Amino acid sequence: MVLEIINNPGDLKELSSSELSLLAKEIRKLLVDVVKNNGGHLASNLGIVELTIALHRVFDFSKDSLVFDVGHQCYTHKILSGRRELFSTLRQKNGMSGFPNPNESRYDLFISGHSSTSISSATGLALGKKIRGDNSSTVALVGDGSLGGGMCFEAMNHAGGVGADLLVVLNDNDMAISRTVGAFVKHLEEFRSRENTTKLRNELKELFSKLPLIGDSMDWLYEKVLSELKNHTGAAAVFEAMGFRYFGPFDGHDIEGMEEELGNLSRLSGPRILHVLTEKGKGFKPAHSDPESFHSSAPFVIDNDSGDILKTCYEEHKKSYSEAFSEIIYDMAGENDKLVAITAAMTGGTGMAKFAEDFNDRFFDVGMAESHAIPFAAGLAKVGFVPIVAIYSTFLQRSYDQIFHDIALQENLPVIFALDRAGLVGEDGPTHHGIFDIAYMRHLPNMVLMAPADEEDMKLLFDFASTLKSPSAIRYPRGKVGSFLPKGFERRAVELGKGEVLREGGDGTVFAYGRMVEPVYSAATRLEEEKGIKLAVVNARFAKPLDKDLISESAQKGIIFTVEDHALAGGFGSAVGEYLLDNYEAEITLIRIGIEDKFVRAASRNDQDEELGLSEDRLFARFIEEFERLV
């Protein structure tokens, strides 16, 4: 096997053409073998194998700089940069991150899990190198989906204006997570005519090769070829207007071709953009046929004979919160023609595919442009619609100013934020945990914050949110949804700022928020059965406004716990603590349980819950510990 002799990028430089082709196949096999066991971002990594090999053949990234945009496409890079033997630990507890991580290797410059950041970082690197007299190369690797994000254009405008010595490699596979959308993408389609551009390139190269000696500068010949190609497509104008010289498009699966183009570009200076065409999921039929499903895949089982997927190992195949959300808003849209839905390049991930199909005129995918999505929703709300903006909690962080300025400040815009993947998300790790949304939204006036305990509660909260005249946010986690309450339990109707008591108890009260209600309820039940300690359990429902009456009643009875799947700083427990501090002079015992002031590393969510004290067993033990300490 060729891959077994690649221990660092320098080993690539000795390989023959046939060995390079075999290496690409072996890397793809390794990618599939590991992701089928661990889960991970498969389709994007399968599509960038040859391009990554070519980049490492041309540049020395122990000295040169490679900056990834949305670093989930870094698997081949990790395999080639000395981490092949660790690759089996991908996304596992104490294992290799699924994203670039400088703590792992000198070949990783930044942790990168969000989109449209690479050109900005690379511009900073390039200009910093210029100041200190460093002539090493700087390369930003960005996808066509990310290029639709505003930060990319801000960075290119700056880099082009100052003439930064920077190469941007545009990996164009016509996909973000969902199919890439927008006017700029339509413009890129002009570039994607492989037949015409490749034919012209070959004809020009053949023509120049037959001419008498025209000088020793092959760079001149190459530049002439590219100049003619740019004139042919006419589509390079958008890049060149921003100060970038455009080259392409080129076949991103042709290692030797890519090596030649990258080698020529490495000898040029100033802002350059190399447009590369790749196929997401290449080499693995299921991912190639359905790249959206294999963008971030759960572990799966393959039929060794046919190569088909036998099953995907989602937990017990139970309905997920995203699927429950999908059904809820679909039903709501059928009853309310003012309801519209917005997402940011995540139609499938947020559960909006069926809504998009059947309510197409009321569905909007704005691409990887979360900041744009928010004032866009404000505009829809201003003319009488009720927008539901479904964005993962971690990605909504990118829209903080717009939430403040374009929604909350306007006072009466009924925009509903559906915060998917709120809380811990497991193997994707710190870039994707949604553990800060309460903190960054709670202090905004006019904002209502909610979290459901189960599927029934989720429906009740979304129905309630649709009646509000103010903005609201409903956070819900990744993973399965169900009902844990006793059969026949009668839920309390939703009232603004009111929680519901799920079990009575005179020894203290636990206010649990969102996903944590179920393990708290189970732990409190065990506590009474095994220790005779009777804790009341409250499904808080609201982090803002708080149920002040219920908190006040509980403060007079005894110890209060708050439990949340969120950072303790600024979270639900902080809100309860602030209220008690402002309203009670007597000493009150408040114990906040949540996520301490740290970034949580990748592991299964069960492992993370156990480590952070959020599992049922750890909560049970913590309740006993606190009662023994206080008695």
Side-chain angles (χ1 to χ4, degrees), residues 63-259:
K63 300 175 182 177
D64 299 321
S65 302
L66 175 61
V67 183
F68 281 89
D69 205 288
V70 192
H72 59 245
Q73 60 188 334
C74 70
Y75 293 4
T76 297
H77 163 76
K78 291 198 171 196
I79 292 168
L80 297 177
S81 58
R83 288 167 278 182
R84 168 174 49 84
E85 293 185 356
L86 294 174
F87 193 64
S88 62
T89 70
L90 179 73
R91 292 161 44 93
Q92 303 299 292
K93 185 177 181 180
N94 300 321
M96 181 187 296
S97 170
F99 298 89
N101 188 337
N103 293 323
E104 285 181 8
S105 170
R106 62 178 175 165
Y107 290 98
D108 295 358
L109 291 182
F110 300 99
I111 295 173
S112 55
H114 292 185
S115 74
S116 309
T117 65
S118 63
I119 303 178
S120 296
S121 299
T123 300
L125 287 169
L127 295 181
K129 289 178 182 182
K130 181 180 179 181
I131 293 170
R132 72 182 191 187
D134 182 343
N135 294 320
S136 64
S137 297
T138 303
V139 181
L141 180 57
V142 60
D144 57 298
S146 294
L147 201 62
M151 279 184 64
C152 281
F153 288 96
E154 293 174 24
M156 290 180 70
N157 183 56
H158 180 210
V162 299
D165 189 9
L166 167 67
L167 172 61
V168 174
V169 178
L170 170 57
N171 175 33
D172 180 2
N173 55 33
D174 199 21
M175 293 284 291
I177 294 174
S178 301
R179 181 69 58 184
T180 314
V181 298
F184 184 71
V185 172
K186 292 180 181 178
H187 186 68
L188 282 181
E189 289 175 358
E190 297 179 38
F191 296 65
R192 293 192 185 114
S193 177
R194 293 173 184 261
E195 181 179 356
N196 290 337
T197 54
T198 301
K199 180 180 178 182
L200 180 61
R201 183 186 299 113
N202 291 338
E203 289 176 352
L204 285 169
K205 286 188 175 182
E206 182 178 0
L207 172 64
F208 280 107
S209 69
K210 293 179 179 178
L211 290 176
L213 183 65
I214 56 176
D216 297 328
S217 175
M218 289 302 294
D219 285 345
W220 179 89
L221 176 61
Y222 192 73
E223 285 294 296
K224 183 65 178 175
V225 172
L226 293 175
S227 175
E228 293 298 326
L229 276 172
K230 285 186 285 185
N231 291 336
H232 174 69
T233 64
V238 67
F239 296 112
E240 305 225 348
M242 300 183 79
F244 276 73
R245 298 163 72 185
Y246 168 82
F247 304 87
F250 298 104
D251 181 359
H253 299 298
D254 177 359
I255 297 177
E256 292 180 313
M258 280 292 87
E259 189 174 343

Side-chain angles (χ1 to χ4, degrees), residues 284-286 300-311:
F284 182 54
K285 182 179 177 181
F300 54 86
V301 178
I302 301 176
D303 185 311
N304 292 328
D305 295 326
S306 67
D308 294 335
I309 302 298
L310 294 177
K311 66 176 180 177

Side-chain angles (χ1 to χ4, degrees), residues 97-101 103 111-114 394-395 397 423-436 598-603 608:
S97 170
F99 298 89
N101 188 337
N103 293 323
I111 295 173
S112 55
H114 292 185
T394 186
F395 298 143
Q397 293 166 182
L424 298 167
V425 297
E427 291 84 355
D428 280 339
T431 60
H432 282 54
H433 293 316
I435 60 174
F436 305 110
K598 67 177 183 178
F599 292 112
V600 182
R601 294 187 60 182
Q608 290 165 347

